[in-house]
Structures are given as structure tokens and as C-alpha cells.
Amino acid sequence: MKSVKALACAAGLAASACADNAGPTTVDLAQRKARDLAAWVSRTNIYAATGTNAFAPAAARAQHLVYVPNSLDGTVSVIDPSTYEVVRTFRTGALPQHVVPAHDLDTLWVANNDGNTLTAIDPYTGREGGTIPADDPYNLYFTPDGRWAIVVAEKRQRLDFRDPHTMKLVESVPTTCEGIDHLEFSPDGSYLIATCEFNGQLVKLDLATRRVVGYLTLDPQKLRDRAMPQDIRSSADGRVFYVADMMADGVWLVDPDAFQRTGFIHTGRGAHGIMPSRDGTRMYVTNRGWHTIIGGRRGPGSVSVVDPATGRVVGSWPIPGGGSPDMGSVSPDGRELWVSGRYDDEVYVFDTQAGRLTHRIQVGWQPHGLCFWPQPGRYSLGHTGNMR
């Protein structure tokens, strides 16, 4: 009886695989080296492909625009980043929370939380398209392999796994995570960790089985006020996850593999959003200025610049006269940080080199998950442009 290899060779398998010499060929070694190098780069810097203006082909064709969901208006404001002016505003479903790039970079989705819908935006025209049903879409993410879209159903305390193109529901994963909000993925895509805003925990989920594997209470000794975790982002090497805590006024450091707290960095009042710089050597932390989800005007908001290598705050950018910086994006060239001003109905633009506020742009009522599009990177993990 012929061997499996002999049958494969008879069927026309590549000659390199059918050579008498059982050892690897030069081509095999080159391919293996390329795979090993790609794996090493990914582990060393998961943001390696998100450098200055490093657009994937699909993103390179998109119009450069900034999309701002105005939650309490039920609208999205569209800003031209070259003029810093609102060029149009369009209606969406009720309570739009985030504008989210799809994994394949071909669509932007508006997550309409109370509207129970997702509104599509064509990034090549900047125009809104159709709306499809989705239960309780506070946020939207995509697994690194592109297999799943994950709707974060905050009020339902669950993660809804959907087809990433049709958004058809495949499976709902229940949790005990109160106020499940933001997600981050391991470098190898084997698990995710989500923040639980209202019970001070993180939840870890195995992506192969789509099952919860554990919970982590961030401040069990109550060293500070009750934990209120918000955004979560990985360090460039994937070994530390940073968790912004709006009550603790800083970011927790978490070992994602061991699922343990390893430290804390104080940033500013109401730490909320986390955005890595273009090279991943800095983390921009927005401090919303309030400890509650209902803030006021002109609070003591700021942006802190964290150096992951030292675990220190190396810069602090105030907002003259006060403000409430929330979520946003780094510009494709890395020179600007664009964030929404949640309780002041405006958008802030910071010069990342000078470390100062340069523009305030009036938008709608309670702007939230701002997205500057296009963004550099091979694919999107969702949120406001978490790229890899």
C-alpha cells in the first residue's frame, strides 16, 4: 500500500515536498524563517504594523475624516481634519456610542446602544448606509483572526458573537460582568479580557471555546475608592494590559496570561481612555475629570502620557479652562491626538509633540467614541480603531 506521501506526490504535490531528501529545502527554511520572524515581531511589538501612515490598501482609499457619535443627539458629526471644521451631521439610531472600523477595513459601524441597531458608514464616501438590528450594542470588536464580530451588550451583561460581515447572531456568551464595556485581545488571539465598569472586575474569555475562564477583582483590599474600570489596552510586547480606572484616577497594570494585578500608575482624575502612540512607546490616557458617569461642564480633565518602559507619567496635558476628554484616535501621522469632550459637547485636538491643546471643535450633545479614519494597520480589532 502506498504511503500518504506517495499518494500526495502522485497527485501532483510540489516537488520540494516529494524530494528523496526528507530534510527541509531552502524554500521551506525561508518560509519558516519568515513565519518565525513575523511571530517574533508580533510578540515584540503588536503595534509594529500601525506606524506612521502605514495604511492597508483598503484603508488607503478611504477619505480622511473624523467621525464623532453624539450620544444624546442620536447623530454623528463628520469633521474634516485638514480644516478642523464640521462638514456635515447625520442621524443614526438612539444613543450612538462608538464609531467602529470593521476588521476588513471596508466599513465603519455606528453602535446605536438604545436603538438596538448598527449603522454602516462607507469610508470611501463618508456617507451613511443601511442599518441592521443588533441587541444592546454599546461597543463592537473583532477577533484578531477576523472570524467573529463581538457586540458588547452592556446592559445584558454578555458578549454576542456575530458573523463579521452580515452581523447575524451566532452565539451569546453570558457573564456576571456588570457594565461590560471594553475589550483587549492577547497577542496570539487565544483570549480576550473585558472590563466590568460597575462591579470593579475584569473578565477573561477563551476564544476557542467562547467561555469565561475567570474574573479578577481589581481592588479587593479597597486601597482606593471602588474600582470602576474603563478602557483596556495592551503594551507593545503584549505582556502587560493597562486598565483605566475612573475612580482610582489611574491605570492598573495586569499580567494578562497569569490574570493578576502587577501595579498601578496614577494619571489624573477620572482616567478613562487609553490610546497607544504610533510606535507603541507611549500610552495616552484621557482623564475625564469626573468620578461619575454623569459629569459637569469644564471639569479638571487632562491627558497623561505614560512611558510603558518605565511605568512613569512623562507628560501631562491640561485643557485650559477645563474639559472632559473621553475616547478617540491618534492621527495617522502620529502628530495629533483627537478625543471627544464628553460633557462639553466638543472635540479636542492635541499636538503630541508640543504636548498642548491646539483646537476645540463644537459638536453635538455628549460626544463619545470618536474615530479618526483611516488608521494605519493591517486589520481592525474594533472600538474606535484598535489596529494591529
Side-chain angles (χ1 to χ4, degrees):
M1 182 176 183
K2 290 185 178 181
S3 68
V4 173
K5 179 178 177 181
L7 291 170
C9 291
L13 193 65
S16 62
C18 300
D20 290 338
N21 183 358
T25 66
T26 302
V27 174
D28 293 332
L29 290 172
Q31 291 175 341
R32 185 183 303 170
K33 184 177 180 181
R35 288 195 299 268
D36 291 346
L37 178 61
W40 181 85
V41 168
S42 178
R43 182 63 180 180
T44 303
N45 183 3
I46 63 174
Y47 305 118
T50 67
T52 302
N53 295 323
F55 298 117
R61 301 193 303 272
Q63 287 200 41
H64 286 238
L65 295 168
V66 178
Y67 301 91
V68 188
N70 304 303
S71 292
L72 298 189
D73 273 353
T75 64
V76 169
S77 296
V78 184
I79 301 173
D80 182 338
S82 66
T83 63
Y84 303 96
E85 295 180 349
V86 176
V87 294
R88 60 186 294 264
T89 298
F90 63 87
R91 297 209 66 79
T92 65
L95 201 67
Q97 298 280 16
H98 300 90
V99 174
V100 181
H103 184 273
D104 63 7
L105 316 181
D106 218 26
T107 307
L108 304 177
W109 293 102
V110 185
N112 305 311
N113 203 175
D114 282 357
N116 296 310
T117 57
L118 298 169
T119 299
I121 300 174
D122 183 339
Y124 308 113
T125 65
R127 294 281 169 171
E128 66 276 20
T131 295
I132 63 175
D135 190 26
D136 189 26
Y138 172 80
N139 216 333
L140 175 64
Y141 288 84
F142 297 86
T143 55
D145 61 7
R147 183 182 181 189
W148 303 107
I150 304 175
V151 167
V152 182
E154 181 188 37
K155 292 189 291 290
R156 309 284 190 263
Q157 298 182 27
R158 69 176 193 241
L159 298 177
D160 287 349
F161 284 73
R162 294 175 175 269
D163 181 284
H165 305 291
T166 66
M167 292 298 170
K168 181 180 178 181
L169 179 65
V170 177
E171 181 180 9
S172 289
V173 178
T175 74
T176 59
C177 183
E178 297 177 18
I180 189 167
D181 276 348
H182 301 94
L183 317 182
E184 182 59 293
F185 298 88
S186 62
D188 64 2
S190 63
Y191 62 81
L192 66 78
I193 295 176
T195 57
C196 310
E197 180 175 6
F198 300 127
N199 62 352
Q201 292 184 322
L202 305 178
V203 58
K204 187 173 183 177
L205 187 112
D206 182 284
L207 286 171
T209 62
R210 298 189 296 280
R211 292 295 178 266
V212 171
V213 295
Y215 292 87
L216 173 66
T217 300
L218 283 170
D219 196 7
Q221 288 82 34
K222 302 197 184 313
L223 303 176
R224 298 169 177 81
D225 290 334
R226 179 181 58 83
M228 195 174 187
Q230 308 291 311
D231 203 8
I232 178 170
R233 295 302 297 270
S234 174
S235 62
D237 63 8
R239 298 180 187 278
V240 178
F241 279 14
Y242 296 86
V243 182
D245 189 324
M246 204 161 77
M247 291 295 286
D249 298 338
V251 292
W252 297 99
L253 278 57
V254 173
D255 180 329
D257 289 339
F259 205 34
Q260 296 177 346
R261 291 176 303 122
T262 59
F264 182 83
I265 303 171
H266 183 271
T267 59
R269 185 177 178 86
H272 190 78
I274 306 173
M275 288 137 283
S277 63
R278 279 282 148 253
D279 57 5
T281 63
R282 295 289 186 269
M283 293 286 178
Y284 303 121
V285 180
T286 55
N287 306 302
R288 203 156 72 177
W290 301 93
H291 289 152
T292 66
I293 60 173
I294 303 175
R297 297 276 182 170
R298 299 289 185 256
S302 65
V303 173
S304 297
V305 184
V306 174
D307 179 356
T310 64
R312 296 179 180 276
V313 174
V314 295
S316 182
W317 307 341
I319 299 176
S324 49
D326 197 287
M327 291 292 179
S329 305
V330 176
S331 63
D333 61 11
R335 294 178 177 273
E336 292 180 331
L337 174 67
W338 288 66
V339 295
S340 57
R342 186 71 170 271
Y343 301 123
D344 296 282
D345 305 338
E346 56 191 357
V347 166
Y348 310 120
V349 184
F350 294 88
D351 182 318
T352 59
Q353 296 179 322
R356 62 183 180 86
L357 182 70
T358 59
H359 295 83
R360 304 175 88 134
I361 305 164
Q362 203 68 30
V363 288
W365 191 7
Q366 282 210 7
H368 191 192
L370 173 157
C371 176
F372 190 133
W373 192 253
Q375 287 284 305
R378 298 164 296 170
Y379 54 85
S380 166
L381 298 181
H383 191 40
T384 58
N386 293 6
M387 305 294 291
R388 288 193 188 169

